[in-house]
Amino acid sequence: MQVEAPARLHLGFLDLDGGLGRRFGSLGLTVDGLSTRLRLRLAKTAIVEGVGEVARARRLLDTLTTAWSLPPVEIGIEATIPAHAGLGSGTQLALALGVGLARLTGRAASARSVAQLLERGRRSGIGIGAFEQGGFLLDGGRADDLEPPPLIARLSFPEPWRLLLVFDDACEGLHGSSETRAFGSLPPFPAELAGHLCRLTVMRLLPGVATADIGATGAAVGEIQKRVGDHFAPAQGGRFTSRAVGTVLDWLEQQGVAGVGQSSWGPTGFALLASESMAEQFRAEAERRFGGRFRSLRFLVSRARNHGAEVKPG
């Protein structure tokens, strides 16, 4: 069995106040060219090996084996999404492993049920949506029932648009207990701001994606990123986790690029651009300007992925 699960960008929360009964509400975009790839087969003894995330995969396998009484399996990890970079690596590894093993052993298990079993999707449902469908995603926030937030909107992202991704290999985003403490330390989120972000999403961002209006889409993404980034600044040391990534994004804004931001806790930054040629021009110029100054930076031009994970025999 072969499974390939895509990375995603987390573009921001809409309502950290939770006054209407649901908290968070996440915007996400599935990304092509960055994925976790696994090969799974039945074996005489359990084996987990590969290029990365071996220890985490073993822990997930132990949980699944106990819950499902699985026979021994061999798991080969052929590629991984960069960990703790704001790209959803943990959720995609968990879903790839759980859904792949369910198919391999003839078990009926959805990505959502796997996420619950492996304790993924507690704050955001866009990782599940990226695995199942891909595209541009909006979830409806978490209620008090501890189930993953429901996906309430999914749109295909315009094919010509591109993403310039900015990585900082010397930096990690908050995760685990540090992330939990950070959420607990944040100031109250104004209900008025939550209302504004929801209106901005429904009346500008989603229509912008649906009509391929990059001006409206970029302006909405950029404003959401600024508002949410400033709210999280006390926990991550500023609007951006990585000073180097922030410097590049500030420069891109000065060049007139509106849709820039940080995915989740970072450090990965992104910029939304109208075409591949434009994205490649900015990539080359960014490497020239900042590559020598910040040697931990990497740049990648990618596109959105309008389909989810691939699970197939082999």
Side-chain angles (χ1 to χ4, degrees), residues 58-289:
R58 283 175 178 156
R59 292 193 296 270
L60 293 168
L61 177 59
D62 287 344
T63 300
L64 292 164
T65 299
T66 300
W68 291 349
S69 299
L70 293 175
V73 294
E74 180 179 320
I75 299 168
I77 304 171
E78 298 181 342
T80 60
I81 298 165
H84 312 312
L87 298 169
S89 62
T91 294
Q92 297 309 310
L93 176 62
L95 295 179
L97 188 58
V99 172
L101 287 173
R103 295 275 186 91
L104 181 66
T105 59
R107 176 178 295 273
S110 66
R112 189 175 180 86
S113 67
V114 169
Q116 287 184 275
L117 175 60
L118 297 178
E119 299 184 343
R120 308 304 305 185
R122 288 185 162 183
R123 292 190 183 92
S124 170
I126 61 171
I128 301 171
F131 187 91
E132 291 182 323
Q133 302 183 52
F136 187 82
L137 306 160
L138 169 64
D139 76 44
R142 190 193 72 187
D144 293 331
D145 54 13
L146 300 183
E147 291 191 8
L151 192 66
I152 59 174
R154 186 269 177 197
L155 295 170
S156 290
F157 209 67
E159 291 290 345
W161 295 359
R162 292 294 184 270
L163 298 157
L164 175 59
L165 301 179
V166 187
F167 305 99
D168 186 346
D169 293 332
C171 183
E172 285 188 349
L174 292 175
H175 57 278
S177 59
S178 297
E179 180 185 22
T180 301
R181 289 193 297 271
F183 271 109
S185 72
L186 293 174
F189 197 79
E192 295 80 7
L193 178 55
H196 174 66
L197 296 182
C198 290
R199 182 188 182 203
L200 191 62
T201 296
V202 173
M203 301 308 295
R204 174 169 277 189
L205 179 52
L206 293 179
V209 175
T211 62
D213 183 343
I214 196 167
T217 302
V221 168
E223 182 175 351
I224 291 167
Q225 281 283 314
K226 287 183 174 66
R227 299 296 189 102
V228 176
D230 288 345
H231 182 78
F232 280 83
Q236 61 185 17
R239 184 177 289 173
F240 305 112
T241 294
S242 163
R243 181 176 66 88
V245 170
T247 299
V248 176
L249 298 182
D250 287 343
W251 169 74
L252 286 165
E253 277 201 295
Q254 293 168 13
Q255 309 310 303
V257 181
V260 303
Q262 171 182 287
S263 179
S264 187
W265 290 104
T268 303
F270 65 86
L272 176 61
L273 296 158
S275 67
E276 184 166 6
S277 61
M278 182 181 294
E280 288 291 354
Q281 288 173 6
F282 275 114
R283 181 195 58 77
E285 181 63 16
E287 288 180 342
R288 187 187 71 79
R289 284 175 174 266

